[in-house]
Amino acid sequence: MRVLAFLVIILLSFIDYTYAAKRPSTEREVFFKGTNHELEVYKIYGRQDGPTMLIIGGIQGDEPGGFLSADSYADIKLEKGNLIVIPRTNFYSIMLFNREVKGVDMNRLFEQAPNDWQGDIVNKIKEYMQQSDMFLNLHDGWGYHYPEHISWHKSPDRFGYSVIVDEEEYTCKNGKVLKLGEMARKAMDAANAKIPDDDPKKHYFNTETSKSSSRFKSMRKSATWYAVTDLCIPAFGIEGSKNMKLDKNVLYHNYVINEFMKNLGIEIEYPNTHTYEPEFIGAVIKVGDSEKFIRDGKEIAVEKGSTIRVTEIFANHKRGLTCDIIDFGNLNDIDKDYTVTNNNKIIFRKDNIVMGEVKIKAVKPKKEELAEKIEVEVEQQKLESVTKKEEQLTKIEPGEKYFHLLINGKDEYIKHGDKIKINNGSKVVFVKLFSAQVKDYNVAINFKGWFPDDLKSNDGDDRGYEIIFPPKNMLKKYSVRKDGKVYPVVAVDSSKKKDLAKIYIELE
């Protein structure tokens, strides 16, 4: 029996270890992908286990201080404890920059979640609440909450720039007492000590949600009230002000969040709070079987009837990026097939901010023409322009195709299927593809994953560009193992829609 008990203990320990989170690490989950209400969730595990805090922002989409503050926590590392961060809880309302979508306030759906997409999100939030020891809901309100009326902007009626509790204390069904007011004031006072004296200080705001005399009875349907009453989790509304400069708004949000984390026992590294202006660089657009990089404000010509798809967006921000093909799909059209019939455009957004666009020009399909025969007999060629090295190579292996490259001004010839390592600092030019049968195929050579700086759109032909290694503008997803080390170079006969030859470039 002792041996059996010992084995059971080992087995249980193994199971616990197997399913334990890797520490430290960050996990990203995406729900409802490709919809207007796409939901990104970040789970951050510290080096040591500890309490878990749930932070959400953007449940009301016209409150950027809240969702940008939450967003700044998605990339941090923890020494101790865990975070669950949902920066854009209601992405649809954020893109519209409205508090509500179709007249529905998502923060009033927690009493009973509806059977629709908003209810799906609310139920997800409830699931993550159950995994948490504390819940913070980040907002931006108008003006500044003050205990006494001073002006329209500073009064008890304003929610802005406050730390909100539903009750001073709340006794749960199991007898546990949540000292919400004490916890809120402790975090708020420590945060206020960091705010410069020439800026307003945050104020404590008790909505007294359960009382019949409460002016805020609608809070009984809110996320914080659900967390407190149904799950016995301390929950707080952290309000910024829409009347404050955004950089400060986010920073002062974070001051309060950091103090709550510290008091809960979570040890953190502080996140970046810089809210720089969104800048759209360009996008990768797949047209048929080829992909093109199109810069902001440029135009892509597409034959009518052809299908395009935006596969990647490049901007100076990593999250909250969407594309919207006008009169098609919804507000979030990335990775969707769109058939071009008329001129159109694609709008690119960071959250609710339009940061750029690409125009689509619908052109008539080219008339089918008989493709010239590429493979011709060598005696029909005039070989005066063929170098001696080319002649030598084609005599040795007449059936092979070769890529002609200039590397630091020297001619290099790489046989189809071979790999070459390019040292950092080298200057490389792709010249042409040739063989014994054809001195110059005059076909595109595509360095997969690379696009030039000065081209309005990447047409897939990289001949003639001087590329300094390691190359800029490399897309790792095109590398052989998706690790950014080895990239294919392909000679493409676009008239026949086939690859003629391929070599591989290994980066140092």
Side-chain angles (χ1 to χ4, degrees):
M1 289 297 293
R2 289 181 179 178
V3 172
L4 180 60
F6 180 70
L7 291 174
V8 169
I9 291 170
I10 292 176
L11 179 61
L12 291 174
S13 300
F14 174 77
I15 291 172
D16 184 63
Y17 174 79
T18 301
Y19 290 96
K22 181 181 177 183
R23 297 187 178 279
S25 69
T26 298
E27 295 178 2
R28 173 178 174 267
E29 296 179 292
V30 181
F31 301 96
F32 323 119
K33 188 172 178 60
T35 67
N36 285 333
H37 54 280
E38 188 170 289
L39 188 72
E40 282 188 325
V41 180
Y42 295 84
K43 292 183 176 180
I44 299 113
Y45 300 100
R47 295 184 186 278
Q48 304 173 53
D49 196 6
T52 298
M53 175 181 285
L54 171 61
I55 301 173
I56 72 169
I59 199 168
Q60 293 154 342
D62 60 344
E63 302 177 2
F67 62 75
L68 291 177
S69 173
D71 192 68
S72 70
Y73 283 82
D75 294 322
I76 70 168
K77 307 299 179 187
L78 299 176
E79 285 296 321
K80 183 179 180 182
N82 315 293
L83 280 182
I84 302 173
V85 183
I86 307 177
R88 294 168 178 82
T89 306
N90 192 347
F91 198 16
Y92 200 170
S93 71
I94 288 172
M95 290 188 286
L96 296 173
F97 205 61
N98 287 339
R99 175 186 174 89
E100 303 168 349
V101 176
K102 298 181 180 179
V104 178
D105 183 346
M106 188 180 286
N107 199 33
R108 298 295 182 266
L109 300 180
F110 284 80
E111 182 180 48
Q112 183 173 357
N115 187 25
D116 60 11
W117 65 269
Q118 298 207 67
D120 292 339
I121 291 173
V122 167
N123 287 328
K124 282 290 178 189
I125 303 302
K126 289 181 176 180
E127 288 178 21
Y128 289 116
M129 284 181 181
Q130 293 175 29
Q131 303 171 29
S132 306
D133 301 294
M134 181 178 285
F135 168 55
L136 302 184
N137 196 355
L138 311 187
H139 296 270
D140 283 342
W142 286 108
Y144 303 86
H145 179 80
Y146 271 70
E148 298 178 357
H149 182 86
I150 298 174
S151 65
W152 184 91
H153 281 300
K154 298 178 179 180
S155 81
D157 296 322
R158 302 276 74 83
F159 274 68
Y161 212 59
S162 63
V163 178
I164 301 176
V165 298
D166 288 291
E167 299 288 349
E168 176 67 25
E169 290 186 359
Y170 182 82
T171 303
C172 302
K173 295 174 184 177
N174 61 5
K176 180 179 178 181
V177 178
L178 301 180
K179 297 187 177 182
L180 302 173
E182 180 182 314
M183 287 187 277
R185 282 189 291 270
K186 182 177 180 181
M188 184 187 71
D189 291 346
N192 279 339
K194 297 179 181 178
I195 296 174
D197 290 338
D198 54 352
D199 278 336
K201 306 291 186 178
K202 287 184 180 282
H203 284 90
Y204 174 71
F205 187 2
N206 181 0
T207 58
E208 299 182 328
T209 302
S210 70
K211 293 185 178 180
S212 59
S213 60
S214 174
R215 295 182 297 135
F216 309 102
K217 294 183 178 67
S218 65
M219 293 291 286
R220 296 171 189 173
K221 301 178 182 180
S222 70
T224 53
W225 184 246
Y226 175 84
V228 169
T229 59
D230 282 54
L231 302 178
C232 196
I233 297 170
F236 307 89
I238 313 299
E239 292 272 356
S241 174
K242 294 179 181 180
N243 303 94
M244 177 172 281
K245 187 179 176 183
L246 187 56
D247 270 354
K248 283 186 178 181
N249 199 12
V250 174
L251 179 62
Y252 298 162
H253 259 307
N254 290 1
Y255 281 169
V256 180
I257 296 166
N258 292 341
E259 293 301 327
F260 271 112
M261 293 173 71
K262 183 193 302 182
N263 296 339
L264 187 60
I266 299 175
E267 299 178 14
I268 69 170
E269 297 175 10
Y270 291 90
N272 170 31
T273 58
H274 182 53
T275 56
Y276 43 88
E277 192 73 18
E279 180 183 341
F280 173 56
I281 299 168
V284 175
I285 300 178
K286 187 173 184 180
V287 182
D289 294 327
S290 64
E291 289 187 313
K292 301 182 178 183
F293 178 79
I294 314 295
R295 290 192 173 276
D296 179 29
K298 302 301 181 181
E299 182 179 79
I300 179 173
V302 182
E303 291 186 3
K304 291 182 179 180
S306 297
T307 298
I308 68 171
R309 177 190 294 186
V310 179
T311 61
E312 202 159 356
I313 301 171
F314 292 89
N316 60 345
H317 290 264
K318 294 191 296 183
R319 289 180 291 276
L321 307 179
T322 56
C323 68
D324 181 6
I325 303 173
I326 301 303
D327 296 326
F328 169 78
N330 50 40
L331 295 177
N332 186 9
D333 293 328
I334 193 164
D335 278 327
K336 293 180 182 175
D337 289 332
Y338 169 70
T339 301
V340 175
T341 55
N342 296 295
N343 293 344
N344 202 348
K345 63 180 179 180
I346 308 171
I347 300 295
F348 294 86
R349 293 186 181 90
K350 161 71 168 70
D351 297 322
N352 61 292
I353 300 171
V354 175
M355 57 180 180
E357 68 175 45
V358 167
K359 296 177 181 178
I360 304 170
K361 183 178 181 180
V363 298
K364 293 181 179 179
K366 294 179 181 178
K367 293 180 180 179
E368 292 187 5
E369 299 177 355
L370 293 175
E372 294 183 0
K373 186 177 181 182
I374 290 181
E375 299 284 349
V376 296
E377 297 298 322
V378 68
E379 53 264 27
Q380 294 176 330
Q381 294 285 335
K382 294 181 180 180
L383 300 177
E384 292 83 8
S385 62
V386 180
T387 66
K388 290 182 179 180
K389 181 66 174 177
E390 288 179 19
E391 283 190 72
Q392 181 184 6
L393 288 169
T394 54
K395 285 178 181 178
I396 295 172
E397 294 183 281
E400 290 291 348
K401 297 182 179 73
Y402 292 86
F403 287 78
H404 180 185
L405 281 64
L406 284 176
I407 302 179
N408 295 324
K410 295 177 61 177
D411 294 302
E412 298 286 349
Y413 305 93
I414 316 300
K415 186 171 67 173
H416 165 61
D418 284 356
K419 181 172 72 174
I420 179 173
K421 185 173 183 178
I422 306 293
N423 296 326
N424 288 349
S426 296
K427 297 178 180 179
V428 177
V429 178
F430 297 104
V431 181
K432 65 180 181 179
L433 180 75
F434 69 94
S435 71
Q437 285 72 39
V438 182
K439 67 176 182 180
D440 183 354
Y441 282 86
N442 194 24
V443 294
I445 295 179
N446 186 0
F447 184 13
K448 291 286 189 179
W450 179 81
F451 57 88
D453 274 325
D454 60 348
L455 200 63
K456 68 178 182 180
S457 67
N458 187 359
D459 58 7
D461 191 356
D462 299 324
R463 289 179 296 174
Y465 287 95
E466 184 179 76
I467 305 171
I468 301 175
F469 277 62
K472 296 190 298 181
N473 307 334
M474 293 301 294
L475 304 178
K476 187 181 290 187
K477 69 177 184 178
Y478 291 98
S479 60
V480 174
R481 293 185 178 85
K482 307 294 189 290
D483 58 1
K485 294 180 180 179
V486 178
Y487 290 84
V489 177
V490 182
V492 183
D493 178 4
S494 57
S495 66
K496 293 185 178 180
K497 297 183 178 179
K498 70 173 185 178
D499 295 346
L500 296 178
K502 182 186 295 185
I503 60 173
Y504 299 91
I505 299 289
E506 182 179 358
L507 306 186
E508 187 178 61

